[in-house]
Amino acid sequence: MAKALLGHVGGPDPRMVAEMRRLQQRVRDLEAELVRLQTENDALAAVADNEVMALRANDREPALT
């Protein structure tokens, strides 16, 4: 019964270990890409906010004196 649950005796299948390592590396790569894109998006959003604020400042009507 234990053999059936473990799949086989003699340790993990080298192909499965290699695939697991490949997938773990892929996850790390995707997480790094996500952080890079979030940083880039934050920078672009800050620039866009500054441009909107500048446009609003230019659209104000002069105060009555």
Side-chain angles (χ1 to χ4, degrees):
M1 181 74 171
K3 288 181 183 179
L5 292 174
L6 293 174
H8 64 290
V9 177
D13 181 6
R15 293 172 295 174
M16 188 181 308
V17 171
E19 180 69 6
M20 183 65 83
R21 286 188 180 135
R22 185 187 71 79
L23 291 172
Q24 288 171 337
Q25 182 61 47
R26 180 71 174 140
V27 167
R28 285 191 294 271
D29 292 345
L30 290 171
E31 287 172 340
E33 180 74 4
L34 177 62
V35 169
R36 185 188 70 77
L37 290 172
Q38 286 174 332
T39 302
E40 184 179 339
N41 188 52
D42 291 345
L44 290 171
V47 169
D49 286 345
N50 288 340
E51 289 177 0
V52 167
M53 295 301 267
L55 287 174
R56 288 183 183 165
N58 292 337
D59 289 345
R60 291 185 185 151
E61 295 184 18
L64 297 174
T65 55

